[in-house]
Amino acid sequence: MKKGVVVELQDDFVILLTPDGQFLRTKVGTANYELGEEIPFLTTMDDREEAITRSGRRESFFNFQKMKLGVISALAIILIFFTVAPVFKEDRVYAYMTVDINPSFEIAVDEHLKAISLKPINKDGEKIVDEISNWKKKPVKDVIHIIISKSKEKGYVYSGKEIFLTTVYKEEDKEKKSELEKGVKQIQSSFEKSNVVVNIAETDVNTREKALEQGISTGKYLKIQSANKQKEEIKKAKEDHKEIKREVENKAEVEIKVPEKNIEQQNNNEVKDSLQKETKTKLQEVQKSLKENNRNEEREEQRQQELKKQRQKELEEQRQKELEEQNKLREKQLKEQNKKKEEEEKERENKRKKLEKQKEKESKEKEKQKEKESKEREKQREKFEKQQEKHREKQEKEREKQEKERYKQKDHDDDDDD
């Protein structure tokens, strides 16, 4: 995607002036543009052909609209200068910094020493960058600190870990360089408290390009080159040692074969002795250098083993800590489950008691109802009996009355007979 300034408007296309001074024609579609407006466009095959054959057609183009394009071009160049140029200047890279932990990163730095791009160089770096946000336009030292802190969270940085910071300057500015070096040293000192070793290096653009060709960071490229150089020096020292040893042995054989006959020969022997001493001294120096290299290799190997042990110890402590946290979490979950079970059991017990009370209450109410009904029936029975008793008494009285009247009637009849 390129950008250009509109210098001429037609019905179905516009003429654009690009930052590199080319006049290109592109279709407008349904968009509405204005003269002097900067617009993005895609470079098609027709556009490229238009740019290639522009030299052949430019003369006729200027013949038709020489004055118009002259004024418009001047305005467009002024517009580009005041709008596009500051953007290019703002995003111009002043230096590159690579951060090598195990994840590797490259940060592009502008002239204000702020990060304008953050590029992961390996898969581990991609994971870290995915979790970092709001890094753009921050001071590069803050971005490096964020990267190292995030890597520490992920377990890439630990006690004894070695971090490599490499700076590649595209431009020479002593004041900015001094400020950037000061910020890097602040990072170096801030992590010394955590027993993290921060090494600093500086190299040129050519070295960075060679590292990019190999698909690695500039820092790793420097470390590989340093290791190869050290191996070459050790190899050369060993070869020199063998050569000197052969020379000494050959000279010793010559001295044994040549008999001592006169003073001149004695002088030669003195020269030979001097040469032997000199050779012996050189041999001792080479042997000393080899021993020192061997000791350095042993110390480096011992340091790596100690770092490995330290790392294993930290990993073991971390696993132990995670295990303890998991046990605590399981205990907490178990307690919560037991508590929940107890609460459920208590709830069931309360429901059971409530149900029993309800049943007991209903039973009592039924008993009361039965007792009430029984009393009611008893009352009705007593009432019925009383009514029966009254009825019988009434009947008895009726019978007595009838009996009396019958006797009375009989007495009356008897009297009539008399």
Side-chain angles (χ1 to χ4, degrees), residues 221-266:
Y221 181 82
L222 288 177
K223 289 176 76 175
I224 291 170
Q225 292 299 313
S226 176
N228 291 338
K229 186 178 179 181
Q230 189 176 10
K231 287 179 182 179
E232 288 294 329
E233 289 176 354
I234 293 171
K235 184 179 178 181
K236 188 176 182 301
K238 288 180 178 179
E239 290 176 354
D240 291 344
H241 174 260
K242 290 179 182 179
E243 185 65 28
I244 292 170
K245 190 175 180 181
R246 280 195 299 270
E247 288 179 2
V248 171
E249 289 174 351
N250 292 334
K251 287 175 182 177
E253 289 176 1
V254 171
E255 288 176 3
I256 293 170
K257 290 177 181 179
V258 179
E260 296 180 359
K261 291 182 178 181
N262 49 33
I263 298 172
E264 184 179 356
Q265 190 173 9
Q266 185 176 359

Short mmCIF file of all heavy atoms in Angstrom, two decimals, residues 221-266:
data_model
loop_
_atom_site.label_atom_id
_atom_site.label_comp_id
_atom_site.label_asym_id
_atom_site.label_seq_id
_atom_site.Cartn_x
_atom_site.Cartn_y
_atom_site.Cartn_z
N TYR A 221 24.35 -13.60 17.32
CA TYR A 221 25.37 -13.65 16.27
C TYR A 221 26.73 -13.27 16.86
O TYR A 221 27.76 -13.92 16.57
CB TYR A 221 24.99 -12.71 15.14
CG TYR A 221 25.96 -12.70 13.99
CD1 TYR A 221 25.93 -13.67 13.00
CD2 TYR A 221 26.94 -11.70 13.90
CE1 TYR A 221 26.84 -13.67 11.95
CE2 TYR A 221 27.85 -11.68 12.86
CZ TYR A 221 27.79 -12.67 11.89
OH TYR A 221 28.70 -12.65 10.87
N LEU A 222 26.77 -12.22 17.69
CA LEU A 222 28.02 -11.81 18.33
C LEU A 222 28.57 -12.90 19.24
O LEU A 222 29.78 -13.15 19.27
CB LEU A 222 27.80 -10.52 19.12
CG LEU A 222 27.61 -9.23 18.32
CD1 LEU A 222 27.33 -8.07 19.26
CD2 LEU A 222 28.83 -8.94 17.47
N LYS A 223 27.67 -13.54 20.01
CA LYS A 223 28.12 -14.61 20.91
C LYS A 223 28.69 -15.78 20.13
O LYS A 223 29.71 -16.36 20.52
CB LYS A 223 26.94 -15.07 21.78
CG LYS A 223 26.51 -14.06 22.82
CD LYS A 223 25.30 -14.51 23.59
CE LYS A 223 25.65 -15.56 24.61
NZ LYS A 223 24.51 -15.93 25.46
N ILE A 224 28.05 -16.14 19.02
CA ILE A 224 28.55 -17.24 18.19
C ILE A 224 29.92 -16.88 17.61
O ILE A 224 30.84 -17.69 17.61
CB ILE A 224 27.54 -17.57 17.07
CG1 ILE A 224 26.28 -18.18 17.67
CG2 ILE A 224 28.15 -18.53 16.05
CD1 ILE A 224 25.13 -18.32 16.69
N GLN A 225 30.04 -15.62 17.11
CA GLN A 225 31.32 -15.18 16.55
C GLN A 225 32.41 -15.18 17.61
O GLN A 225 33.55 -15.59 17.34
CB GLN A 225 31.17 -13.77 15.96
CG GLN A 225 30.28 -13.69 14.73
CD GLN A 225 30.82 -14.52 13.58
OE1 GLN A 225 31.99 -14.45 13.25
NE2 GLN A 225 29.95 -15.31 12.97
N SER A 226 32.08 -14.74 18.82
CA SER A 226 33.06 -14.73 19.92
C SER A 226 33.50 -16.14 20.29
O SER A 226 34.68 -16.40 20.51
CB SER A 226 32.45 -14.03 21.13
OG SER A 226 33.33 -14.07 22.22
N ALA A 227 32.50 -17.05 20.35
CA ALA A 227 32.83 -18.45 20.68
C ALA A 227 33.71 -19.07 19.58
O ALA A 227 34.69 -19.77 19.88
CB ALA A 227 31.56 -19.25 20.85
N ASN A 228 33.39 -18.78 18.30
CA ASN A 228 34.20 -19.31 17.20
C ASN A 228 35.61 -18.74 17.23
O ASN A 228 36.59 -19.46 16.99
CB ASN A 228 33.54 -18.98 15.86
CG ASN A 228 32.25 -19.75 15.64
OD1 ASN A 228 32.05 -20.81 16.25
ND2 ASN A 228 31.38 -19.24 14.80
N LYS A 229 35.73 -17.44 17.57
CA LYS A 229 37.04 -16.81 17.65
C LYS A 229 37.87 -17.43 18.77
O LYS A 229 39.07 -17.69 18.61
CB LYS A 229 36.87 -15.31 17.88
CG LYS A 229 38.18 -14.53 17.85
CD LYS A 229 37.91 -13.05 18.03
CE LYS A 229 39.23 -12.27 18.01
NZ LYS A 229 39.01 -10.82 18.21
N GLN A 230 37.22 -17.67 19.91
CA GLN A 230 37.93 -18.29 21.03
C GLN A 230 38.39 -19.70 20.67
O GLN A 230 39.52 -20.09 21.00
CB GLN A 230 37.00 -18.33 22.26
CG GLN A 230 37.71 -18.75 23.53
CD GLN A 230 36.79 -18.69 24.74
OE1 GLN A 230 35.61 -18.52 24.60
NE2 GLN A 230 37.35 -18.85 25.92
N LYS A 231 37.53 -20.44 19.96
CA LYS A 231 37.92 -21.79 19.53
C LYS A 231 39.11 -21.73 18.58
O LYS A 231 40.04 -22.55 18.67
CB LYS A 231 36.74 -22.48 18.86
CG LYS A 231 35.64 -22.92 19.82
CD LYS A 231 34.50 -23.56 19.07
CE LYS A 231 33.38 -23.96 20.02
NZ LYS A 231 32.23 -24.57 19.30
N GLU A 232 39.10 -20.73 17.66
CA GLU A 232 40.21 -20.58 16.71
C GLU A 232 41.51 -20.25 17.44
O GLU A 232 42.58 -20.77 17.11
CB GLU A 232 39.87 -19.49 15.69
CG GLU A 232 38.81 -19.87 14.68
CD GLU A 232 39.26 -20.99 13.76
OE1 GLU A 232 40.47 -21.07 13.47
OE2 GLU A 232 38.41 -21.79 13.34
N GLU A 233 41.39 -19.36 18.47
CA GLU A 233 42.59 -19.01 19.24
C GLU A 233 43.15 -20.21 19.99
O GLU A 233 44.36 -20.42 20.03
CB GLU A 233 42.25 -17.88 20.22
CG GLU A 233 42.01 -16.54 19.55
CD GLU A 233 41.59 -15.47 20.53
OE1 GLU A 233 41.37 -15.82 21.72
OE2 GLU A 233 41.47 -14.30 20.12
N ILE A 234 42.23 -21.00 20.57
CA ILE A 234 42.70 -22.21 21.28
C ILE A 234 43.33 -23.19 20.31
O ILE A 234 44.39 -23.78 20.58
CB ILE A 234 41.51 -22.86 22.03
CG1 ILE A 234 41.03 -21.94 23.17
CG2 ILE A 234 41.90 -24.22 22.58
CD1 ILE A 234 39.75 -22.39 23.81
N LYS A 235 42.69 -23.34 19.15
CA LYS A 235 43.23 -24.25 18.13
C LYS A 235 44.60 -23.79 17.65
O LYS A 235 45.55 -24.59 17.53
CB LYS A 235 42.25 -24.31 16.96
CG LYS A 235 42.65 -25.31 15.88
CD LYS A 235 41.60 -25.33 14.77
CE LYS A 235 42.02 -26.30 13.66
NZ LYS A 235 41.02 -26.32 12.56
N LYS A 236 44.75 -22.46 17.41
CA LYS A 236 46.03 -21.91 16.96
C LYS A 236 47.10 -22.08 18.03
O LYS A 236 48.26 -22.40 17.73
CB LYS A 236 45.84 -20.42 16.62
CG LYS A 236 47.07 -19.79 15.95
CD LYS A 236 46.75 -18.36 15.56
CE LYS A 236 47.94 -17.73 14.85
NZ LYS A 236 49.16 -17.71 15.67
N ALA A 237 46.69 -21.84 19.32
CA ALA A 237 47.66 -21.99 20.41
C ALA A 237 48.14 -23.43 20.50
O ALA A 237 49.34 -23.69 20.73
CB ALA A 237 47.02 -21.56 21.72
N LYS A 238 47.22 -24.39 20.33
CA LYS A 238 47.61 -25.81 20.36
C LYS A 238 48.54 -26.15 19.20
O LYS A 238 49.54 -26.88 19.37
CB LYS A 238 46.36 -26.69 20.32
CG LYS A 238 45.56 -26.67 21.61
CD LYS A 238 44.34 -27.57 21.51
CE LYS A 238 43.57 -27.58 22.82
NZ LYS A 238 42.36 -28.42 22.75
N GLU A 239 48.23 -25.61 18.00
CA GLU A 239 49.10 -25.85 16.85
C GLU A 239 50.47 -25.23 17.05
O GLU A 239 51.51 -25.84 16.72
CB GLU A 239 48.44 -25.29 15.59
CG GLU A 239 47.22 -26.08 15.14
CD GLU A 239 46.52 -25.45 13.96
OE1 GLU A 239 46.95 -24.33 13.57
OE2 GLU A 239 45.57 -26.06 13.42
N ASP A 240 50.51 -23.98 17.63
CA ASP A 240 51.79 -23.34 17.92
C ASP A 240 52.59 -24.15 18.93
O ASP A 240 53.82 -24.28 18.82
CB ASP A 240 51.56 -21.93 18.46
CG ASP A 240 51.02 -20.99 17.39
OD1 ASP A 240 51.12 -21.34 16.20
OD2 ASP A 240 50.47 -19.93 17.76
N HIS A 241 51.85 -24.70 19.91
CA HIS A 241 52.52 -25.53 20.92
C HIS A 241 53.16 -26.75 20.29
O HIS A 241 54.32 -27.11 20.57
CB HIS A 241 51.48 -25.94 21.98
CG HIS A 241 52.02 -26.91 22.98
ND1 HIS A 241 51.77 -28.26 22.90
CD2 HIS A 241 52.80 -26.72 24.08
CE1 HIS A 241 52.36 -28.89 23.90
NE2 HIS A 241 52.99 -27.96 24.64
N LYS A 242 52.42 -27.39 19.39
CA LYS A 242 52.97 -28.57 18.70
C LYS A 242 54.17 -28.20 17.81
O LYS A 242 55.18 -28.92 17.78
CB LYS A 242 51.87 -29.22 17.84
CG LYS A 242 50.79 -29.90 18.65
CD LYS A 242 49.72 -30.49 17.74
CE LYS A 242 48.60 -31.14 18.54
NZ LYS A 242 47.54 -31.70 17.66
N GLU A 243 54.06 -27.06 17.11
CA GLU A 243 55.15 -26.63 16.23
C GLU A 243 56.41 -26.33 17.02
O GLU A 243 57.53 -26.74 16.65
CB GLU A 243 54.70 -25.38 15.46
CG GLU A 243 55.69 -24.89 14.43
CD GLU A 243 55.90 -25.88 13.30
OE1 GLU A 243 54.97 -26.66 13.00
OE2 GLU A 243 57.01 -25.88 12.72
N ILE A 244 56.24 -25.60 18.14
CA ILE A 244 57.41 -25.27 18.98
C ILE A 244 58.01 -26.53 19.57
O ILE A 244 59.24 -26.69 19.64
CB ILE A 244 56.98 -24.29 20.10
CG1 ILE A 244 56.62 -22.94 19.48
CG2 ILE A 244 58.08 -24.12 21.12
CD1 ILE A 244 55.96 -21.98 20.43
N LYS A 245 57.16 -27.45 19.96
CA LYS A 245 57.66 -28.71 20.50
C LYS A 245 58.47 -29.47 19.47
O LYS A 245 59.54 -30.03 19.78
CB LYS A 245 56.47 -29.56 20.98
CG LYS A 245 56.87 -30.77 21.78
CD LYS A 245 55.62 -31.48 22.30
CE LYS A 245 56.02 -32.71 23.12
NZ LYS A 245 54.83 -33.42 23.61
N ARG A 246 57.96 -29.49 18.20
CA ARG A 246 58.71 -30.16 17.13
C ARG A 246 60.05 -29.48 16.88
O ARG A 246 61.07 -30.14 16.71
CB ARG A 246 57.86 -30.17 15.84
CG ARG A 246 56.80 -31.25 15.81
CD ARG A 246 56.26 -31.45 14.39
NE ARG A 246 55.64 -30.25 13.86
CZ ARG A 246 54.36 -29.96 14.01
NH1 ARG A 246 53.56 -30.79 14.68
NH2 ARG A 246 53.87 -28.85 13.50
N GLU A 247 60.05 -28.13 16.90
CA GLU A 247 61.31 -27.40 16.68
C GLU A 247 62.32 -27.70 17.77
O GLU A 247 63.50 -27.90 17.50
CB GLU A 247 61.02 -25.90 16.64
CG GLU A 247 60.29 -25.44 15.38
CD GLU A 247 60.01 -23.96 15.39
OE1 GLU A 247 60.42 -23.29 16.37
OE2 GLU A 247 59.38 -23.47 14.43
N VAL A 248 61.84 -27.75 19.02
CA VAL A 248 62.74 -28.04 20.14
C VAL A 248 63.31 -29.45 20.01
O VAL A 248 64.51 -29.68 20.20
CB VAL A 248 61.99 -27.88 21.48
CG1 VAL A 248 62.83 -28.40 22.63
CG2 VAL A 248 61.63 -26.43 21.70
N GLU A 249 62.44 -30.39 19.66
CA GLU A 249 62.91 -31.77 19.51
C GLU A 249 63.92 -31.89 18.36
O GLU A 249 64.94 -32.57 18.49
CB GLU A 249 61.72 -32.69 19.26
CG GLU A 249 60.83 -32.87 20.48
CD GLU A 249 59.58 -33.67 20.18
OE1 GLU A 249 59.33 -33.93 18.98
OE2 GLU A 249 58.84 -34.01 21.13
N ASN A 250 63.62 -31.20 17.23
CA ASN A 250 64.56 -31.24 16.10
C ASN A 250 65.90 -30.62 16.45
O ASN A 250 66.96 -31.14 16.11
CB ASN A 250 63.96 -30.51 14.89
CG ASN A 250 62.76 -31.25 14.32
OD1 ASN A 250 62.65 -32.47 14.48
ND2 ASN A 250 61.87 -30.53 13.66
N LYS A 251 65.86 -29.48 17.17
CA LYS A 251 67.11 -28.81 17.56
C LYS A 251 67.89 -29.67 18.55
O LYS A 251 69.13 -29.71 18.53
CB LYS A 251 66.80 -27.45 18.17
CG LYS A 251 66.35 -26.44 17.12
CD LYS A 251 65.93 -25.15 17.77
CE LYS A 251 65.44 -24.17 16.69
NZ LYS A 251 64.95 -22.92 17.26
N ALA A 252 67.16 -30.35 19.43
CA ALA A 252 67.84 -31.23 20.39
C ALA A 252 68.55 -32.37 19.67
O ALA A 252 69.67 -32.75 20.01
CB ALA A 252 66.83 -31.78 21.39
N GLU A 253 67.90 -32.93 18.63
CA GLU A 253 68.52 -34.02 17.84
C GLU A 253 69.76 -33.52 17.11
O GLU A 253 70.79 -34.20 17.05
CB GLU A 253 67.51 -34.56 16.84
CG GLU A 253 66.38 -35.36 17.48
CD GLU A 253 65.36 -35.81 16.46
OE1 GLU A 253 65.55 -35.50 15.26
OE2 GLU A 253 64.36 -36.46 16.87
N VAL A 254 69.68 -32.28 16.56
CA VAL A 254 70.85 -31.71 15.86
C VAL A 254 72.00 -31.52 16.82
O VAL A 254 73.16 -31.83 16.51
CB VAL A 254 70.46 -30.37 15.20
CG1 VAL A 254 71.70 -29.66 14.66
CG2 VAL A 254 69.47 -30.61 14.08
N GLU A 255 71.70 -31.06 18.03
CA GLU A 255 72.78 -30.85 19.02
C GLU A 255 73.46 -32.16 19.41
O GLU A 255 74.66 -32.22 19.64
CB GLU A 255 72.20 -30.19 20.27
CG GLU A 255 71.84 -28.73 20.04
CD GLU A 255 71.17 -28.14 21.25
OE1 GLU A 255 71.07 -28.85 22.27
OE2 GLU A 255 70.79 -26.97 21.19
N ILE A 256 72.67 -33.24 19.47
CA ILE A 256 73.27 -34.54 19.83
C ILE A 256 74.18 -35.06 18.71
O ILE A 256 75.24 -35.62 18.96
CB ILE A 256 72.15 -35.55 20.12
CG1 ILE A 256 71.40 -35.13 21.40
CG2 ILE A 256 72.71 -36.96 20.27
CD1 ILE A 256 70.15 -35.90 21.66
N LYS A 257 73.77 -34.83 17.46
CA LYS A 257 74.53 -35.37 16.32
C LYS A 257 75.82 -34.59 16.07
O LYS A 257 76.82 -35.14 15.62
CB LYS A 257 73.65 -35.34 15.05
CG LYS A 257 72.53 -36.35 15.10
CD LYS A 257 71.66 -36.23 13.85
CE LYS A 257 70.52 -37.23 13.92
NZ LYS A 257 69.64 -37.12 12.73
N VAL A 258 75.83 -33.30 16.30
CA VAL A 258 77.01 -32.47 15.99
C VAL A 258 78.00 -32.54 17.14
O VAL A 258 77.67 -32.18 18.27
CB VAL A 258 76.60 -31.01 15.74
CG1 VAL A 258 77.83 -30.15 15.45
CG2 VAL A 258 75.61 -30.95 14.58
N PRO A 259 79.22 -33.05 16.95
CA PRO A 259 80.22 -33.12 18.02
C PRO A 259 80.81 -31.75 18.31
O PRO A 259 80.86 -30.88 17.44
CB PRO A 259 81.28 -34.06 17.46
CG PRO A 259 81.16 -33.91 15.98
CD PRO A 259 79.74 -33.62 15.69
N GLU A 260 81.27 -31.57 19.50
CA GLU A 260 81.89 -30.31 19.91
C GLU A 260 83.38 -30.41 19.59
O GLU A 260 84.10 -31.14 20.25
CB GLU A 260 81.65 -30.07 21.40
CG GLU A 260 80.19 -29.91 21.73
CD GLU A 260 79.98 -29.66 23.22
OE1 GLU A 260 80.97 -29.64 23.96
OE2 GLU A 260 78.82 -29.49 23.61
N LYS A 261 83.86 -29.65 18.59
CA LYS A 261 85.25 -29.76 18.15
C LYS A 261 86.08 -28.55 18.50
O LYS A 261 87.26 -28.67 18.79
CB LYS A 261 85.30 -29.99 16.63
CG LYS A 261 84.77 -31.35 16.23
CD LYS A 261 84.89 -31.55 14.74
CE LYS A 261 84.39 -32.95 14.33
NZ LYS A 261 84.51 -33.18 12.87
N ASN A 262 85.51 -27.39 18.41
CA ASN A 262 86.32 -26.20 18.63
C ASN A 262 85.50 -25.12 19.32
O ASN A 262 84.33 -25.30 19.64
CB ASN A 262 86.89 -25.68 17.31
CG ASN A 262 85.80 -25.58 16.26
OD1 ASN A 262 84.66 -25.29 16.60
ND2 ASN A 262 86.13 -25.82 15.01
N ILE A 263 86.09 -23.95 19.48
CA ILE A 263 85.46 -22.82 20.19
C ILE A 263 84.26 -22.29 19.41
O ILE A 263 83.23 -21.92 19.96
CB ILE A 263 86.48 -21.68 20.40
CG1 ILE A 263 87.63 -22.18 21.27
CG2 ILE A 263 85.84 -20.46 21.03
CD1 ILE A 263 88.79 -21.21 21.39
N GLU A 264 84.46 -22.28 18.04
CA GLU A 264 83.36 -21.79 17.20
C GLU A 264 82.13 -22.63 17.41
O GLU A 264 81.01 -22.13 17.52
CB GLU A 264 83.79 -21.83 15.74
CG GLU A 264 82.73 -21.26 14.80
CD GLU A 264 83.22 -21.30 13.37
OE1 GLU A 264 84.37 -21.69 13.13
OE2 GLU A 264 82.41 -20.92 12.50
N GLN A 265 82.38 -23.97 17.52
CA GLN A 265 81.25 -24.87 17.77
C GLN A 265 80.65 -24.61 19.13
O GLN A 265 79.44 -24.70 19.33
CB GLN A 265 81.74 -26.32 17.64
CG GLN A 265 80.60 -27.32 17.64
CD GLN A 265 81.10 -28.72 17.36
OE1 GLN A 265 82.32 -28.96 17.32
NE2 GLN A 265 80.19 -29.62 17.14
N GLN A 266 81.52 -24.26 20.09
CA GLN A 266 81.02 -23.96 21.44
C GLN A 266 80.14 -22.72 21.41
O GLN A 266 79.12 -22.66 22.09
CB GLN A 266 82.22 -23.75 22.37
CG GLN A 266 81.81 -23.55 23.83
CD GLN A 266 83.03 -23.44 24.73
OE1 GLN A 266 84.17 -23.54 24.24
NE2 GLN A 266 82.78 -23.24 26.00
#
